[in-house]
Amino acid sequence: MNTATDKQKCLDCLTQAITDLHGQVDIDQLTKISNLIIQTMTGPWRSFHTPNHIFEVGEGGDAIEVISAIFHDLVYVQVDQGISVNISRYISPYIKQDREQLVILEPPELQEDKIFKMVIMLFGFENGQPLLPMSGQNEFLSALIAIKALENMLPLRILTEIAACIEATIPFRPQLDSGLTCSDLLFGRLVNANETFQFGWGDQEISEIVKRTVRLSNRDVENFASTNSSRFLNNTWNLIPETNHDLKNGNSYSVHGYRVSIQKMEGFMNFLSPEIVFRRYRNEPNEKDYYKLLAQTKQNLEVARLYLGTKLTSIGILEALSFRIGRDISLSTMMGELPLEDRAVVGLEQFLPEIITPQQPSSPIEAEVLELLDKGRTVDSSYDVKNSPVATFMVKSIGFTEMQRMLNLSKEFFKGNLTSEDLLASCDPYVMSTIKSAVLQLFDSRKGALSK
């Protein structure tokens, strides 16, 4: 979609949802809000949390879910490198910036109103509290903007249900030691809001509200349960440059910068478990569907961990090799530039030999990962090629078990506990000499091009 189409779709979705909720539709105001949302979500650093994502999260949901989905990723401080002036006016009466951190204001500086009181109650936050990027900062600010933007169009009861849905999109929260889940905590906060604002909800109604929030939060992360591992990795590759902005600079990012971006994602995938990706609350979703989500997520995480670990090993070897030239060498120097449609590009893979008797995968996961490394993911990204020639060459030469040993050594190199030369010396001699020879041939091709 283009920006104009996205703005119109956003306006149509908001208008229809507010109409369905018997709210007061203000087309002029909704047009401004829609333009603001799409403008923010098509910023220069957005590659996954885009208009397409919010429409997908809202698809199939009721009116409250649709509105919540549209607003839930509006603020993403670490991706956008701050909060744009256009949306900050909604939240500036309630927060301040203290050095690099956002902090909720305190009285008398804070002019608390009913809307703010409700939102802070649902998130379990307090006045004067610092906001943390991984602990609900973005969702809290997104919810606050949503509720302030719509406060004259919908009653407080409906706005509270919207804020609850956005709170539920804070991802990857484990069960507490007490056994309570984030959904249990939200139920308790909704009970308190019900008493404070006298909505007249019974426990069953509040339970249904929480079930709706679970449906929305599960759709927000449904990519983790994709039935196609390549599609899951495509979305993972869209996430990487959102918090690794150097990758947006085409061929100019360094070997080190690329390695750090892969390393962060590999660490993240090893932190996750299916049980903290998807939620279940009072049979929402039903048992069969829930365990199907968990099983598919487990499969995708296993593929992603092995895939990312293997790529991290290969880029670690290239980084160690690049240290012989300097400490800030571009990846294109070591591997060649990214392919271009209008001209041929000489790349490192052209100088890597085909392995006649490759090491065979020992499990279906290894077979799938080797296929992804060799043939490539199904979608190109702007900063990387689909396939992984160096990793493929290494796996076919020495197998996944040896790659795991090299991964452990590579991580010691990244920590500074192992020198670059020690890492290179620990690699299989044939693999090391072949990669080094391929890099030299790449350099020779450039030398030949220059000397024409």
Side-chain angles (χ1 to χ4, degrees):
M1 285 191 185
N2 58 37
T3 301
T5 304
D6 286 335
K7 287 178 179 178
Q8 187 60 52
K9 182 172 182 178
C10 186
L11 175 60
D12 292 344
C13 288
L14 287 174
T15 302
Q16 185 61 57
I18 293 170
T19 300
D20 291 345
L21 294 168
H22 308 293
Q24 301 295 316
V25 174
D26 183 335
I27 289 296
D28 289 341
Q29 180 66 9
L30 287 178
T31 300
K32 292 176 183 177
I33 293 169
S34 299
N35 292 345
L36 192 63
I37 291 168
I38 301 306
Q39 181 183 19
T40 303
M41 300 200 72
T42 51
W45 309 117
R46 299 279 185 131
S47 53
F48 178 82
H49 295 96
T50 61
N52 187 55
H53 174 65
I54 61 175
F55 296 141
E56 286 180 347
V57 174
E59 189 174 350
D62 64 19
I64 289 174
E65 292 171 63
V66 168
I67 295 171
S68 304
I70 285 172
F71 281 96
H72 84 285
D73 276 334
L74 182 54
V75 176
Y76 214 137
V77 176
Q78 58 269 50
V79 172
D80 298 329
Q81 296 188 317
I83 301 174
S84 76
V85 173
N86 293 333
I87 62 175
S88 64
R89 60 192 175 93
Y90 287 100
I91 54 179
S92 57
Y94 309 103
I95 64 164
K96 65 179 179 181
Q97 185 165 336
D98 186 0
R99 295 185 178 90
E100 297 299 313
Q101 192 162 49
L102 298 177
V103 179
I104 300 174
L105 292 173
E106 293 182 274
E109 201 175 2
L110 174 67
Q111 298 179 357
E112 188 174 298
D113 56 31
K114 185 182 290 188
I115 292 289
F116 178 76
K117 184 177 180 180
M118 178 272 290
V119 176
I120 200 173
M121 180 181 292
L122 286 192
F123 278 77
F125 290 171
E126 297 177 352
N127 295 341
Q129 176 179 327
L131 296 174
L132 302 175
M134 304 306 292
S135 299
Q137 168 188 269
N138 298 322
E139 293 80 4
F140 172 71
L141 297 176
S142 296
L144 190 53
I145 294 172
I147 306 312
K148 294 303 294 183
L150 301 175
E151 65 179 325
N152 295 322
M153 299 185 217
L154 292 167
L156 184 61
R157 177 181 60 82
I158 297 294
L159 295 174
T160 302
E161 296 184 57
I162 292 169
C165 278
I166 298 176
E167 192 280 342
T169 64
I170 302 173
F172 314 129
R173 289 179 282 180
Q175 190 177 68
L176 299 178
D177 291 340
S178 63
L180 294 176
T181 67
C182 57
S183 298
D184 295 322
L185 296 178
L186 183 57
F187 179 91
R189 293 171 190 154
L190 283 164
V191 168
N192 293 337
N194 182 44
E195 293 174 354
T196 301
F197 301 108
Q198 299 181 337
F199 295 138
W201 292 329
D203 281 357
Q204 185 58 39
E205 288 176 272
I206 297 175
S207 178
E208 291 302 319
I209 292 170
V210 177
K211 286 182 180 181
R212 178 197 288 120
T213 73
V214 168
R215 288 195 295 272
L216 185 78
S217 67
N218 283 348
R219 280 206 303 278
D220 190 24
V221 293
E222 66 181 0
N223 166 62
F224 279 88
S226 171
T227 55
N228 184 307
S229 297
S230 181
R231 190 176 299 120
F232 171 62
L233 286 171
N234 290 337
N235 283 312
T236 300
W237 245 247
N238 283 334
L239 275 170
I240 289 174
E242 287 198 333
T243 50
N244 298 276
H245 293 164
D246 288 348
L247 298 184
K248 289 282 190 176
N249 298 326
N251 285 296
S252 65
Y253 56 82
S254 66
V255 181
H256 172 79
Y258 180 78
R259 183 266 293 173
V260 169
S261 69
I262 299 298
Q263 187 179 5
K264 286 196 289 187
M265 186 57 73
E266 192 260 355
F268 174 63
M269 289 296 175
N270 277 288
F271 152 77
L272 288 179
S273 67
E275 292 76 16
I276 68 169
V277 175
F278 288 101
R279 297 179 195 150
R280 185 168 187 249
Y281 180 80
R282 299 190 184 183
N283 206 39
E284 176 59 55
N286 65 60
E287 189 173 45
K288 179 182 177 183
D289 290 343
Y290 177 65
Y291 285 107
K292 184 178 179 182
L293 290 173
L294 295 190
Q296 192 59 54
T297 301
K298 183 176 183 292
Q299 163 88 4
N300 286 334
L301 288 176
E302 287 178 1
V303 169
R305 288 164 185 158
L306 185 58
Y307 179 84
L308 287 161
T310 305
K311 284 185 70 73
L312 187 56
T313 302
S314 65
I315 198 65
I317 292 296
L318 284 175
E319 183 178 9
L321 195 58
S322 76
F323 273 24
R324 292 181 174 178
I325 307 172
R327 285 296 188 270
D328 194 27
I329 305 302
S330 72
L331 187 62
S332 60
T333 297
M334 301 299 293
M335 292 195 66
E337 293 188 349
L338 293 172
L340 298 172
E341 292 182 2
D342 56 345
R343 65 182 176 88
V345 173
V346 178
L348 186 65
E349 63 185 295
Q350 294 167 237
F351 305 108
L352 291 171
E354 185 65 35
I355 305 300
I356 305 302
T357 55
Q359 295 281 332
Q360 294 301 307
S362 62
S363 70
I365 293 290
E366 288 189 357
E368 186 170 358
V369 169
L370 180 56
E371 179 79 5
L372 287 165
L373 292 168
D374 193 7
K375 305 301 181 185
R377 302 179 306 276
T378 55
V379 177
D380 271 318
S381 68
S382 60
Y383 66 93
D384 201 5
V385 293
K386 289 188 291 188
N387 63 325
S388 307
V390 178
T392 301
F393 167 74
M394 292 182 71
V395 170
K396 288 184 175 181
S397 298
I398 59 179
F400 281 105
T401 300
E402 178 64 11
M403 288 294 280
Q404 180 61 52
R405 185 185 75 85
M406 289 302 302
L407 174 60
N408 295 333
L409 292 173
S410 296
K411 289 182 177 180
E412 291 303 306
F413 163 57
F414 303 151
K415 293 176 186 176
N417 297 334
L418 198 69
T419 69
S420 59
E421 291 302 320
D422 285 341
L423 178 63
L424 297 177
S426 68
C427 189
D428 177 85
Y430 169 73
V431 167
M432 197 60 254
S433 64
T434 304
I435 292 175
K436 185 168 58 177
S437 174
V439 174
L440 288 171
Q441 289 178 75
L442 177 63
F443 288 176
D444 284 342
S445 74
R446 291 165 173 162
K447 181 180 176 182
L450 280 171
S451 61
K452 281 181 181 178

